[in-house]
Every structure is written in structure tokens, then in C-alpha cells.
């Protein structure tokens, strides 16, 4: 390993762990989470890459064993570990390609598990954890089927927006929310709201420190009467 240059070593490792890198990118793209640090990306890529090559190794072993039972000879061989530990061993491009396909399939499986919160549902069912699985209360709140209509009170402008939740997202400390069938009111602090106008959609973009109160309105269509 000492005779191999840093650039060549880097390219070799990147190529070998291509399945893990592809898997991590797919999971990062299709799941909602806070921005990962480089350290976490590298660790996740490494673990997913090893898992992908391990699955290919199991498949190769199964094929070879089946061939042996049938009295046939199989030339299939998994060379990942040899290629990783010995720079004199040529990288098997076909194995890398198959492992990348397996890694993509594993990523899709993990995306389904994460987005459907399967592990949290199982742990809740077993009463070993009461975590909801959402990243924060914002995501937990708007992912709930009980939240459809909300009132947004802007404490600075004294404006109240009443509407149905159409879309939402968050990134770090920023929050985005789209309401449909919106009624806009003015809070004159007299105990009653003065209706100003209606809008089909209203887009909100604010941070966690904004002076905004979000009220959950379960009455739904009763507000339109």
C-alpha cells in the first residue's frame, strides 16, 4: 500500500465505495432531514457500501453453492476485500456495478422504512419508545392527519390568516408554509376579527424566531359557514 500514490488511492477508494456513495445520495434526496455533515456522509457511505458488497458476496456464495450441488463448477468470485486491501488486485468492474445496483435497491428500502417510520411504529407497538420519528415538532404537526386548517397570527402586523394547509417544508431554522382557501383578518384587539379579503393561496416564509403563532383549527369547514 505504501507504493500507491495519494491520488491513485483516493480514486481507488471512491470507485470501490461507489455503491455506498450512490445509496447515501438516494437516501439524502428522498428523505427529509437536517443537513448532514461531511463526517456523517462518509460514515453512511462506508456502511452502505460494505452492506452492498456483502449482499453481492452472499449472492455469489449462494450461486456457487447451488452450482456445487448440481455438480457444476462456478468461476464467480467476490474480490471486494482483496481489491480494498491489496492494490495489486484489479478492481472487478462488474462487481462494482452489481453492488451499486444492490446499493440503490437497499437505499430505496431504507427510504421506505424512514419515510413510513416503520422502526418507530414497531418500537411504539412494543412500548420500548414513544418517539414519533419526525425530525421536529413542525414536521410532526403538519404530517398529522388531524391538522388541516390553521390560523396564523402575525403578532407584529396584527394580521390573522385562516386557511387549509396545502404544503409545508423546513430547512434548518427556516419554515415554509402554503395555505389555500385563505381568509385574511385584522385583529383590532377588540375581541373580534375584521375580515379584510380572501385569497386562493398564501405563501409564508419565516424563521423560528418570528413573532408568529400558529393555531390548529379542527373545525374545518365550519369556519366557512
Amino acid at each position: 500500500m505504501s507504493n500507491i500514490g495519494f491520488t491513485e488511492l483516493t480514486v481507488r477508494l471512491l470507485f470501490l465505495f461507489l455503491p455506498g456513495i450512490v445509496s447515501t445520495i438516494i437516501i439524502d434526496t428522498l428523505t427529509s432531514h437536517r443537513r448532514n455533515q461531511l463526517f456523517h456522509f462518509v460514515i453512511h457511505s462506508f456502511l452502505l457500501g460494505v452492506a452492498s458488497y456483502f449482499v453481492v458476496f452472499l449472492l455469489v456464495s449462494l450461486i456457487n453453492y447451488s452450482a456445487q450441488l448440481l455438480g457444476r463448477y462456478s468461476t464467480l468470485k467476490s474480490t471486494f476485500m482483496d481489491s480494498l486491501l491489496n492494490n495489486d488486485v484489479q478492481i472487478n468492474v462488474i462487481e462494482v456495478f452489481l453492488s451499486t445496483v444492490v446499493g440503490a435497491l437497499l437505499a430505496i428500502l431504507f427510504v421506505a422504512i424512514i419515510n413510513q417510520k416503520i422502526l418507530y411504529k414497531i418500537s411504539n407497538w412494543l412500548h420500548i419508545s414513544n418517539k414519533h420519528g419526525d425530525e421536529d415538532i413542525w414536521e410532526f404537526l403538519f404530517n398529522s392527519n388531524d391538522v388541516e386548517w390553521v390560523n396564523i397570527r402575525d403578532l407584529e402586523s396584527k394580521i390573522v390568516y385562516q386557511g387549509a394547509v396545502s404544503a409545508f417544508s423546513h430547512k434548518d431554522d427556516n419554515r415554509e408554509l402554503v395555505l389555500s382557501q385563505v381568509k385574511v383578518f385584522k385583529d383590532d384587539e377588540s375581541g373580534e376579527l375584521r375580515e379584510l379579503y380572501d385569497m386562493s393561496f398564501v405563501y409564508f416564509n419565516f424563521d423560528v424566531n418570528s413573532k408568529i403563532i400558529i393555531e390548529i383549527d379542527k373545525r374545518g369547514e365550519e369556519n366557512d359557514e
Side-chain angles (χ1 to χ4, degrees):
M1 187 69 73
S2 59
N3 295 328
I4 190 169
F6 175 76
T7 302
E8 183 181 350
L9 173 62
T10 303
V11 173
R12 189 178 184 87
L13 289 177
L14 286 175
F15 193 72
L16 283 172
F17 285 100
L18 179 63
I21 295 174
V22 171
S23 298
T24 303
I25 291 175
I26 292 175
I27 294 175
D28 283 350
T29 302
L30 299 181
T31 59
S32 177
H33 55 81
R34 292 187 182 274
R35 182 182 304 171
N36 286 331
Q37 297 180 353
L38 178 60
F39 171 77
H40 295 121
F41 183 88
V42 172
I43 293 298
H44 294 164
S45 298
F46 172 79
L47 294 176
L48 288 168
V50 171
S52 301
Y53 281 110
F54 181 70
V55 171
V56 171
F57 168 77
L58 292 179
L59 292 175
V60 169
S61 299
L62 180 61
I63 293 174
N64 291 338
Y65 180 72
S66 300
Q68 184 178 0
L69 291 178
L70 296 174
R72 299 178 180 178
Y73 178 74
S74 174
T75 59
L76 293 178
K77 182 180 180 181
S78 176
T79 62
F80 167 68
M81 290 302 300
D82 292 337
S83 301
L84 182 62
L85 300 177
N86 187 356
N87 58 289
D88 293 328
V89 177
Q90 185 176 2
I91 295 177
N92 189 333
V93 178
I94 296 179
E95 183 180 8
V96 174
F97 172 77
L98 292 177
S99 298
T100 303
V101 173
V102 170
L105 295 176
L106 286 177
I108 294 174
L109 175 62
F110 286 133
V111 166
I113 292 175
I114 294 171
N115 288 339
Q116 297 299 322
K117 304 176 181 61
I118 293 177
L119 291 180
Y120 292 97
K121 291 177 180 177
I122 294 176
S123 63
N124 291 339
W125 181 70
L126 294 175
H127 301 288
I128 60 177
S129 174
N130 59 358
K131 290 188 175 181
H132 47 71
D134 293 294
E135 187 173 338
D136 53 23
I137 297 300
W138 172 269
E139 186 174 338
F140 171 75
L141 183 65
F142 290 107
N143 276 331
S144 172
N145 294 328
D146 295 330
V147 178
E148 181 179 0
W149 294 79
V150 298
N151 300 328
I152 298 183
R153 294 182 180 270
D154 189 329
L155 300 181
E156 292 184 341
S157 64
K158 305 298 182 182
I159 298 295
V160 179
Y161 303 86
Q162 181 185 89
V165 177
S166 179
F168 69 94
S169 68
H170 69 94
K171 184 177 182 181
D172 298 326
D173 290 334
N174 292 324
R175 300 290 186 264
E176 293 180 300
L177 183 63
V178 177
L179 299 185
S180 61
Q181 307 176 48
V182 183
K183 290 185 177 181
V184 183
F185 301 87
K186 178 69 175 181
D187 186 357
D188 295 326
E189 299 183 352
S190 60
E192 295 184 1
L193 298 178
R194 177 166 53 89
E195 185 172 347
L196 300 179
Y197 55 88
D198 296 341
M199 292 291 292
S200 298
F201 293 93
V202 175
Y203 166 77
F204 299 89
N205 187 345
F206 51 88
D207 60 46
V208 294
N209 297 317
S210 299
K211 295 182 179 180
I212 289 178
I213 296 177
I214 300 179
E215 302 171 339
I216 309 303
D217 189 349
K218 292 187 177 181
R219 294 174 298 172
E221 297 181 356
E222 294 179 4
N223 293 326
D224 295 334
E225 298 177 358

